[in-house]
Coordinates of all heavy atoms in Angstrom, one line a residue:
M184 N 150.8 134.9 56.2 CA 151.3 135.5 57.3 C 152.2 134.8 58.1 O 153.3 135.3 58.5 CB 150.1 136.0 58.2 CG 150.5 136.8 59.5 SD 151.4 138.4 59.1 CE 150.1 139.3 58.5
D185 N 151.9 133.5 58.4 CA 152.8 132.6 59.1 C 154.2 132.5 58.5 O 155.3 132.6 59.2 CB 152.4 131.2 59.4 CG 151.2 131.2 60.4 OD1 150.9 132.4 61.0 OD2 150.6 130.2 60.7
R186 N 154.4 132.3 57.2 CA 155.6 132.3 56.5 C 156.4 133.6 56.6 O 157.5 133.7 56.8 CB 155.5 131.8 55.1 CG 154.9 130.5 54.9 CD 155.8 129.4 55.4 NE 155.2 128.1 55.3 CZ 155.4 127.2 56.1 NH1 156.2 127.3 57.1 NH2 154.8 126.0 56.0
R187 N 155.6 134.6 56.5 CA 156.2 136.0 56.7 C 156.8 136.2 58.1 O 157.9 136.8 58.2 CB 155.2 137.1 56.4 CG 155.7 138.5 56.4 CD 154.8 139.5 55.9 NE 155.4 140.9 55.8 CZ 154.7 141.9 56.2 NH1 153.3 141.8 56.4 NH2 155.3 143.1 56.4
L188 N 156.1 135.7 59.1 CA 156.7 135.7 60.4 C 157.9 134.9 60.5 O 158.8 135.4 61.2 CB 155.6 135.2 61.5 CG 154.5 136.3 61.8 CD1 153.3 135.6 62.4 CD2 155.0 137.5 62.7
E189 N 157.9 133.8 59.9 CA 159.2 132.9 59.9 C 160.4 133.8 59.4 O 161.5 133.9 59.9 CB 158.9 131.8 59.2 CG 158.1 130.6 59.8 CD 158.0 129.5 59.0 OE1 158.7 129.2 58.1 OE2 156.9 128.8 59.1
R190 N 160.1 134.4 58.2 CA 161.2 135.3 57.6 C 161.6 136.4 58.4 O 162.8 136.6 58.6 CB 160.7 135.8 56.2 CG 160.7 134.8 55.1 CD 160.5 135.4 53.7 NE 159.3 136.4 53.6 CZ 158.2 136.0 53.3 NH1 157.9 134.7 53.2 NH2 157.2 136.9 53.4
V191 N 160.7 137.1 59.1 CA 161.0 138.1 60.0 C 161.8 137.7 61.2 O 162.7 138.4 61.5 CB 159.7 138.9 60.5 CG1 160.0 139.9 61.5 CG2 159.1 139.7 59.2
I192 N 161.4 136.6 61.8 CA 162.2 136.0 62.9 C 163.6 135.8 62.5 O 164.5 136.3 63.1 CB 161.6 134.8 63.4 CG1 160.2 135.0 64.1 CG2 162.5 134.0 64.3 CD1 159.5 133.7 64.5
L193 N 163.9 135.2 61.4 CA 165.2 134.9 60.9 C 165.9 136.2 60.5 O 167.1 136.4 60.9 CB 165.2 134.0 59.6 CG 164.7 132.6 60.0 CD1 164.5 131.7 58.7 CD2 165.6 131.8 61.0
E194 N 165.3 137.2 60.0 CA 165.8 138.5 59.7 C 166.2 139.2 61.0 O 167.3 139.9 61.0 CB 164.9 139.4 58.9 CG 164.7 138.9 57.4 CD 163.5 139.5 56.7 OE1 163.0 140.5 57.2 OE2 163.3 139.1 55.5
L195 N 165.4 139.3 61.9 CA 165.7 140.0 63.1 C 166.9 139.3 63.8 O 167.8 140.1 64.4 CB 164.4 140.0 64.1 CG 163.3 140.8 63.7 CD1 162.0 140.5 64.6 CD2 163.7 142.3 63.8
L196 N 167.0 138.0 63.8 CA 168.1 137.4 64.4 C 169.4 137.6 63.7 O 170.4 137.7 64.3 CB 167.8 135.8 64.6 CG 166.9 135.4 65.8 CD1 166.4 134.0 65.6 CD2 167.3 135.8 67.0
A197 N 169.4 137.7 62.4 CA 170.5 137.8 61.5 C 171.1 139.3 61.8 O 172.3 139.5 61.7 CB 170.1 137.7 60.1
R198 N 170.3 140.2 62.3 CA 170.8 141.7 62.6 C 171.4 141.8 63.9 O 171.8 142.7 64.3 CB 169.6 142.6 62.4 CG 169.2 142.8 61.0 CD 168.1 144.0 61.0 NE 167.1 143.5 60.1 CZ 165.8 143.8 60.2 NH1 165.4 144.5 61.3 NH2 164.8 143.5 59.3
R199 N 171.3 140.7 64.8 CA 171.8 140.7 66.2 C 173.0 139.9 66.3 O 173.3 139.2 65.6 CB 170.6 140.3 67.0 CG 169.5 141.3 67.2 CD 168.4 140.8 68.0 NE 167.4 141.8 68.5 CZ 166.5 142.3 67.6 NH1 166.4 141.9 66.5 NH2 165.6 143.2 68.0
D200 N 173.5 140.1 67.5 CA 174.7 139.3 67.8 C 174.3 137.9 67.8 O 173.2 137.5 68.0 CB 175.2 139.6 69.2 CG 176.4 138.8 69.7 OD1 177.4 139.3 69.3 OD2 176.2 137.9 70.5
P201 N 175.3 136.8 67.4 CA 174.9 135.4 67.2 C 174.2 134.9 68.5 O 173.5 133.8 68.3 CB 176.2 134.7 66.9 CG 177.0 135.9 66.2 CD 176.6 137.2 67.0
T202 N 174.6 135.4 69.7 CA 174.0 134.8 70.9 C 172.8 135.5 71.4 O 172.3 135.2 72.4 CB 175.1 134.8 72.0 OG1 175.5 136.2 72.3 CG2 176.4 134.0 71.6
A203 N 172.3 136.5 70.7 CA 171.2 137.3 71.1 C 169.9 136.6 70.9 O 169.8 135.6 70.1 CB 171.1 138.6 70.3
T204 N 169.0 137.0 71.6 CA 167.5 136.4 71.5 C 166.5 137.5 71.1 O 166.8 138.7 71.3 CB 167.2 135.7 73.0 OG1 166.9 136.7 73.8 CG2 168.0 134.6 73.3
I205 N 165.4 137.0 70.6 CA 164.4 138.0 70.4 C 163.0 137.4 71.1 O 163.0 136.2 71.4 CB 164.1 138.2 68.8 CG1 163.6 137.0 68.2 CG2 165.3 138.8 68.3 CD1 163.0 137.1 66.8
C206 N 162.1 138.3 71.3 CA 160.8 137.8 71.8 C 159.9 137.7 70.6 O 160.0 138.4 69.6 CB 160.3 138.9 72.7 SG 158.7 138.6 73.4
P207 N 158.9 136.7 70.7 CA 158.0 136.6 69.5 C 157.3 137.9 69.2 O 156.9 138.2 68.0 CB 156.9 135.6 70.0 CG 157.7 134.8 71.0 CD 158.7 135.7 71.7
S208 N 157.1 138.8 70.3 CA 156.6 140.1 70.1 C 157.4 141.0 69.2 O 156.7 141.8 68.4 CB 156.3 140.9 71.4 OG 157.6 141.2 72.0
D209 N 158.7 140.8 69.1 CA 159.5 141.6 68.2 C 159.1 141.3 66.8 O 158.9 142.2 66.0 CB 161.0 141.3 68.4 CG 161.5 141.8 69.7 OD1 161.0 142.7 70.3 OD2 162.4 140.9 70.2
A210 N 158.8 140.0 66.4 CA 158.4 139.6 65.1 C 157.0 140.2 64.8 O 156.7 140.6 63.8 CB 158.5 138.1 65.0
A211 N 156.1 139.9 65.8 CA 154.7 140.4 65.7 C 154.6 141.9 65.4 O 153.9 142.3 64.5 CB 153.9 140.0 66.9
R212 N 155.4 142.7 66.0 CA 155.5 144.2 65.9 C 156.1 144.5 64.5 O 155.6 145.5 63.9 CB 156.2 144.9 67.0 CG 155.6 144.8 68.3 CD 156.4 145.2 69.4 NE 156.0 144.8 70.6 CZ 155.8 145.4 71.8 NH1 156.3 146.6 71.8 NH2 155.4 144.9 72.8
A213 N 157.0 143.7 64.1 CA 157.8 144.1 62.8 C 156.8 143.8 61.5 O 156.9 144.5 60.6 CB 158.9 143.3 62.7
V214 N 155.9 142.9 61.8 CA 155.0 142.4 60.8 C 153.7 143.3 60.7 O 153.2 143.6 59.6 CB 154.5 141.0 60.8 CG1 153.4 140.5 60.0 CG2 155.8 140.0 60.5
Y215 N 153.3 143.8 61.9 CA 152.0 144.5 62.0 C 152.2 145.8 61.5 O 153.1 146.6 61.8 CB 151.6 144.6 63.5 CG 150.3 145.3 63.7 CD1 149.1 144.7 63.2 CD2 150.1 146.5 64.2 CE1 147.8 145.3 63.3 CE2 149.0 147.2 64.4 CZ 147.9 146.5 63.9 OH 146.5 147.2 64.0
A216 N 151.2 146.3 60.7 CA 151.3 147.6 59.9 C 150.9 148.8 60.7 O 151.1 149.9 60.3 CB 150.6 147.6 58.6
G217 N 150.0 148.5 61.7 CA 149.4 149.6 62.4 C 150.3 150.3 63.5 O 151.3 149.8 63.9
D218 N 149.8 151.3 64.1 CA 150.5 151.9 65.3 C 149.9 151.6 66.6 O 150.4 152.0 67.7 CB 150.3 153.5 65.2 CG 150.5 154.1 63.9 OD1 150.6 153.4 62.9 OD2 150.4 155.3 63.9
D219 N 148.7 150.9 66.6 CA 148.1 150.5 67.8 C 148.6 149.1 68.3 O 149.7 148.7 67.8 CB 146.6 150.5 67.8 CG 146.2 149.5 66.5 OD1 146.9 148.6 66.2 OD2 144.9 149.6 66.2
D220 N 148.0 148.6 69.3 CA 148.4 147.2 69.8 C 147.8 146.0 69.1 O 147.7 145.0 69.6 CB 148.2 147.1 71.3 CG 146.7 147.2 71.7 OD1 145.9 147.3 70.8 OD2 146.5 146.9 72.9
G221 N 147.5 146.2 67.8 CA 146.9 145.1 67.0 C 148.0 144.0 66.8 O 147.6 142.9 66.4
W222 N 149.2 144.3 67.1 CA 150.2 143.2 66.9 C 150.0 142.2 67.8 O 150.5 141.1 67.6 CB 151.6 143.9 67.0 CG 151.9 144.5 68.4 CD1 151.7 145.8 68.8 CD2 152.2 143.9 69.7 NE1 151.9 146.1 70.0 CE2 152.2 144.9 70.7 CE3 152.7 142.5 69.9 CZ2 152.6 144.5 71.9 CZ3 153.0 142.3 71.3 CH2 152.9 143.3 72.3
R223 N 149.3 142.5 68.9 CA 149.1 141.3 69.9 C 148.4 140.2 69.3 O 148.5 139.0 69.7 CB 148.3 141.9 71.1 CG 149.1 142.9 71.9 CD 148.3 143.5 73.1 NE 149.1 144.5 73.8 CZ 150.0 144.3 74.7 NH1 150.4 143.1 75.0 NH2 150.6 145.3 75.3
A224 N 147.5 140.4 68.3 CA 146.8 139.3 67.7 C 147.8 138.5 66.9 O 147.4 137.2 66.5 CB 145.7 139.8 66.7
L225 N 149.0 138.9 66.6 CA 150.0 138.0 65.9 C 150.8 137.3 66.9 O 151.8 136.6 66.4 CB 150.8 138.9 65.0 CG 150.0 139.7 64.0 CD1 151.0 140.7 63.2 CD2 149.4 138.6 63.0
M226 N 150.7 137.4 68.1 CA 151.5 136.7 69.1 C 151.5 135.2 68.9 O 152.5 134.5 68.9 CB 151.3 137.1 70.5 CG 151.8 138.5 70.9 SD 153.5 138.5 70.8 CE 154.1 137.4 72.1
E227 N 150.3 134.6 68.9 CA 150.3 133.2 68.8 C 150.7 132.7 67.3 O 151.5 131.7 67.3 CB 148.8 132.7 69.1 CG 148.8 131.1 69.1 CD 149.9 130.4 70.0 OE1 150.2 131.0 71.1 OE2 150.4 129.4 69.7
P228 N 150.3 133.3 66.3 CA 151.0 133.0 65.0 C 152.6 133.1 65.0 O 153.2 132.4 64.4 CB 150.4 134.0 64.0 CG 149.1 134.4 64.6 CD 149.4 134.4 66.1
A229 N 153.1 134.1 65.8 CA 154.5 134.3 65.8 C 155.2 133.1 66.6 O 156.3 132.6 66.3 CB 155.0 135.6 66.5
R230 N 154.5 132.7 67.7 CA 155.0 131.5 68.4 C 154.9 130.3 67.6 O 155.8 129.5 67.7 CB 154.1 131.4 69.7 CG 154.4 132.4 70.8 CD 153.4 132.4 71.9 NE 153.7 131.2 72.7 CZ 154.3 131.2 73.8 NH1 154.9 132.3 74.3 NH2 154.5 130.1 74.6
R231 N 153.9 130.1 66.8 CA 153.7 129.0 65.9 C 154.9 129.0 64.9 O 155.5 128.0 64.6 CB 152.4 129.0 65.1 CG 151.3 128.4 66.0 CD 150.1 128.1 65.1 NE 149.6 129.2 64.2 CZ 148.7 130.2 64.6 NH1 148.1 130.1 65.6 NH2 148.4 131.0 63.7
A232 N 155.2 130.2 64.3 CA 156.3 130.4 63.4 C 157.5 129.9 63.9 O 158.4 129.2 63.3 CB 156.4 131.7 62.8
A233 N 157.9 130.4 65.2 CA 159.1 130.0 65.9 C 159.0 128.5 66.1 O 160.2 127.8 65.9 CB 159.1 130.7 67.3
R234 N 158.0 127.8 66.5 CA 157.9 126.2 66.6 C 158.4 125.7 65.3 O 159.0 124.6 65.3 CB 156.6 125.9 67.2 CG 156.4 126.3 68.5 CD 155.2 125.6 69.1 NE 153.9 126.0 68.7 CZ 153.2 127.0 69.1 NH1 153.6 127.6 70.2 NH2 152.0 127.3 68.7
R235 N 157.8 126.2 64.2 CA 158.1 125.5 62.9 C 159.7 125.8 62.6 O 160.3 124.8 62.1 CB 157.4 126.2 61.8 CG 155.9 125.7 61.7 CD 155.3 126.0 60.4 NE 155.3 127.5 60.2 CZ 154.3 128.3 60.8 NH1 153.5 127.8 61.5 NH2 154.4 129.7 60.4
L236 N 160.3 126.9 62.9 CA 161.7 127.0 62.7 C 162.5 126.2 63.6 O 163.6 125.7 63.3 CB 162.0 128.5 63.0 CG 161.5 129.5 61.8 CD1 161.6 130.9 62.3 CD2 162.2 129.2 60.6
V237 N 162.0 125.9 64.8 CA 162.7 124.8 65.7 C 162.6 123.5 64.9 O 163.8 122.8 64.9 CB 161.9 124.8 67.0 CG1 162.4 123.5 67.9 CG2 162.3 126.0 67.9
E238 N 161.5 123.1 64.4 CA 161.3 121.8 63.7 C 162.4 121.7 62.6 O 162.9 120.6 62.2 CB 159.8 121.7 63.3 CG 158.9 121.3 64.4 CD 157.5 121.4 64.0 OE1 157.3 121.2 62.7 OE2 156.7 121.5 64.8
S239 N 162.6 122.9 61.8 CA 163.4 122.9 60.7 C 164.9 123.1 61.1 O 165.8 123.0 60.2 CB 163.0 123.9 59.7 OG 163.3 125.2 60.1
G240 N 165.1 123.2 62.4 CA 166.7 123.3 62.9 C 167.2 124.7 62.7 O 168.4 124.8 63.0
E241 N 166.4 125.7 62.5 CA 166.9 127.0 62.4 C 167.2 127.8 63.6 O 168.1 128.6 63.8 CB 166.0 127.9 61.5 CG 165.8 127.4 60.2 CD 166.9 127.8 59.2 OE1 167.6 128.7 59.5 OE2 167.0 127.0 58.2
V242 N 166.3 127.6 64.6 CA 166.3 128.3 65.9 C 166.0 127.3 67.1 O 165.6 126.3 66.9 CB 165.2 129.5 66.0 CG1 165.4 130.4 64.7 CG2 163.8 128.9 66.0
E243 N 166.2 128.0 68.2 CA 165.8 127.3 69.5 C 164.9 128.2 70.2 O 165.0 129.4 70.1 CB 167.1 127.0 70.4 CG 168.1 126.1 69.9 CD 169.4 126.0 70.7 OE1 169.8 127.0 71.3 OE2 169.8 124.9 70.8
I244 N 164.0 127.7 71.0 CA 163.1 128.4 71.9 C 163.7 128.2 73.3 O 164.0 127.1 73.6 CB 161.7 127.9 71.8 CG1 161.1 128.3 70.5 CG2 160.8 128.4 73.0 CD1 159.6 127.8 70.2
T245 N 163.9 129.2 74.0 CA 164.5 129.2 75.3 C 163.6 129.8 76.4 O 162.7 130.7 76.0 CB 165.8 130.0 75.3 OG1 165.6 131.4 75.1 CG2 166.9 129.4 74.4
Q246 N 163.8 129.3 77.5 CA 163.1 130.0 78.8 C 164.2 129.9 79.8 O 164.9 128.9 80.0 CB 162.0 129.2 79.2 CG 160.7 129.4 78.3 CD 159.4 128.8 78.8 OE1 159.5 127.6 79.2 NE2 158.4 129.4 78.9
G247 N 164.4 131.1 80.4 CA 165.5 131.2 81.5 C 166.9 130.9 80.9 O 167.8 130.4 81.6
G248 N 167.0 131.2 79.6 CA 168.3 131.0 78.9 C 168.6 129.6 78.4 O 169.7 129.4 77.9
R249 N 167.8 128.6 78.8 CA 168.0 127.4 78.3 C 166.9 126.9 77.2 O 165.8 127.2 77.3 CB 167.8 126.3 79.5 CG 168.8 126.7 80.5 CD 168.8 125.5 81.5 NE 169.8 125.8 82.6 CZ 169.6 125.8 83.9 NH1 168.3 125.8 84.4 NH2 170.5 126.2 84.8
P250 N 167.5 126.1 76.3 CA 166.5 125.6 75.3 C 165.4 124.7 76.0 O 165.8 123.9 76.8 CB 167.4 124.7 74.4 CG 168.9 125.1 74.6 CD 168.8 125.6 76.1
V251 N 164.2 124.8 75.4 CA 163.1 124.1 75.9 C 162.4 123.5 74.7 O 162.5 124.0 73.6 CB 162.1 124.9 76.7 CG1 162.7 125.4 78.0 CG2 161.6 126.0 75.9
E252 N 161.7 122.3 74.9 CA 160.9 121.6 73.9 C 159.8 122.5 73.7 O 159.0 122.9 74.5 CB 160.5 120.2 74.4 CG 159.6 119.5 73.6 CD 160.4 119.1 72.2 OE1 161.5 118.9 72.3 OE2 159.6 119.2 71.2
P253 N 159.6 122.9 72.4 CA 158.5 123.9 72.1 C 157.0 123.5 72.7 O 156.4 124.3 73.1 CB 158.4 124.0 70.6 CG 159.9 123.7 70.2 CD 160.3 122.7 71.2
T254 N 156.8 122.3 72.6 CA 155.5 121.7 73.1 C 155.4 121.9 74.6 O 154.2 121.9 75.1 CB 155.2 120.3 72.7 OG1 156.2 119.5 73.2 CG2 155.1 120.3 71.1
K255 N 156.5 122.0 75.3 CA 156.5 122.0 76.7 C 156.7 123.5 77.3 O 156.4 123.8 78.4 CB 157.5 121.2 77.4 CG 157.3 119.8 77.0 CD 158.3 118.8 77.8 CE 158.0 117.5 77.6 NZ 158.4 116.4 77.1
A256 N 156.9 124.4 76.4 CA 157.0 125.8 76.7 C 155.8 126.5 77.2 O 154.7 126.4 76.6 CB 157.8 126.7 75.7
R257 N 155.8 127.0 78.4 CA 154.6 127.7 79.0 C 155.0 129.0 79.4 O 156.1 129.2 80.1 CB 154.0 126.9 80.2 CG 153.4 125.5 79.9 CD 152.1 125.7 79.1 NE 151.7 124.3 78.7 CZ 151.9 123.8 77.5 NH1 152.6 124.4 76.6 NH2 151.5 122.5 77.3
G258 N 154.3 130.1 79.1 CA 154.6 131.4 79.5 C 155.7 132.0 78.5 O 155.8 131.6 77.3
P259 N 156.2 133.1 78.9 CA 157.2 133.8 78.0 C 158.3 133.0 77.5 O 158.9 132.3 78.2 CB 157.8 135.0 78.9 CG 156.8 135.1 80.1 CD 156.2 133.7 80.3
I260 N 158.6 133.2 76.2 CA 159.7 132.4 75.6 C 160.6 133.5 74.8 O 160.2 134.6 74.6 CB 159.2 131.4 74.5 CG1 158.4 132.1 73.4 CG2 158.4 130.4 75.1 CD1 158.2 131.2 72.2
R261 N 161.8 133.1 74.5 CA 162.7 133.8 73.7 C 163.1 132.9 72.5 O 163.0 131.7 72.6 CB 164.0 134.1 74.5 CG 163.7 135.0 75.7 CD 163.3 136.4 75.5 NE 164.2 137.3 74.8 CZ 164.1 138.4 74.5 NH1 163.0 139.0 74.7 NH2 165.1 139.1 73.8
I262 N 163.6 133.5 71.5 CA 164.0 132.8 70.2 C 165.4 133.2 70.0 O 165.8 134.4 70.1 CB 163.1 133.1 69.1 CG1 161.7 133.0 69.4 CG2 163.5 132.4 67.9 CD1 160.7 133.7 68.4
R263 N 166.3 132.2 69.8 CA 167.6 132.5 69.4 C 168.0 131.5 68.2 O 167.5 130.5 68.0 CB 168.6 132.3 70.6 CG 168.8 130.8 70.9 CD 169.8 130.7 72.1 NE 169.9 129.5 72.5 CZ 170.4 129.0 73.7 NH1 170.7 130.0 74.6 NH2 170.5 127.7 74.0
R264 N 169.1 131.9 67.4 CA 169.7 130.9 66.5 C 170.2 129.7 67.1 O 170.7 129.7 68.3 CB 170.9 131.7 65.8 CG 170.3 132.6 64.7 CD 171.6 133.2 64.0 NE 171.8 134.5 64.5 CZ 172.7 135.4 64.2 NH1 173.7 134.9 63.4 NH2 172.7 136.6 64.7
R265 N 170.0 128.7 66.5 CA 170.5 127.4 66.9 C 172.0 127.4 67.2 O 172.6 127.8 66.3 CB 170.0 126.3 66.0 CG 170.2 124.9 66.7 CD 169.5 123.8 65.8 NE 170.5 122.8 65.7 CZ 170.9 122.3 64.6 NH1 170.4 122.6 63.5 NH2 171.9 121.3 64.5
R266 N 172.4 126.9 68.4 CA 173.8 127.0 68.6 C 174.5 126.0 67.7 O 174.0 124.9 67.4 CB 174.1 126.5 70.2 CG 173.4 127.5 71.1 CD 174.2 128.8 71.0 NE 173.5 130.0 71.6 CZ 173.6 130.3 72.9 NH1 174.3 129.7 73.8 NH2 172.8 131.4 73.3
G267 N 175.7 126.4 67.2 CA 176.4 125.6 66.3 C 175.9 125.5 65.0 O 176.2 124.7 64.1
H268 N 175.0 126.4 64.7 CA 174.4 126.5 63.4 C 174.8 127.6 62.5 O 175.3 128.6 62.9 CB 172.8 126.8 63.6 CG 172.0 126.5 62.4 ND1 172.2 125.6 61.5 CD2 170.9 127.3 61.9 CE1 171.3 125.8 60.5 NE2 170.5 126.8 60.7

């Protein structure tokens, strides 16, 4: 599931403007098959997937429009393609 979330994050970003961001919930909802709020259980896996993508140099995690160190991010985050990538 975690690798699938990584792929979905990259796919969602590829469909948007290069400067656009997504929320981890966008990936969780895209992966979740049901119509209820079961996607919420995928939020932490989606955040973990985003952190791995930061480590591999694919994306940045932002808060307030600025990149943040994934281990220091608290609260809502956004994910965007790495600048200059």
Side-chain angles (χ1 to χ4, degrees):
M184 178 62 71
D185 282 359
R186 297 293 175 212
R187 185 167 175 219
L188 282 163
E189 288 177 23
R190 282 193 309 276
V191 165
I192 288 169
L193 294 175
E194 288 168 7
L195 289 171
L196 288 171
R198 288 188 224 141
R199 289 178 168 76
D200 185 77
T202 59
T204 64
I205 63 166
C206 179
S208 66
D209 296 327
R212 288 171 204 222
V214 168
Y215 184 67
D218 318 2
D219 57 14
D220 65 355
W222 60 268
R223 292 179 187 279
L225 297 175
M226 283 298 293
E227 189 51 39
R230 290 172 69 100
R231 281 194 308 266
R234 288 191 292 267
R235 282 193 305 277
L236 289 169
V237 168
E238 290 170 15
S239 70
E241 298 282 336
V242 303
E243 294 176 321
I244 289 176
T245 64
Q246 288 186 308
R249 296 192 179 123
V251 293
E252 179 63 38
T254 58
K255 295 186 169 111
R257 298 287 177 262
I260 63 169
R261 302 290 295 178
I262 306 163
R263 71 179 181 200
R264 279 183 254 178
R265 195 170 129 227
R266 296 289 161 94
H268 189 42

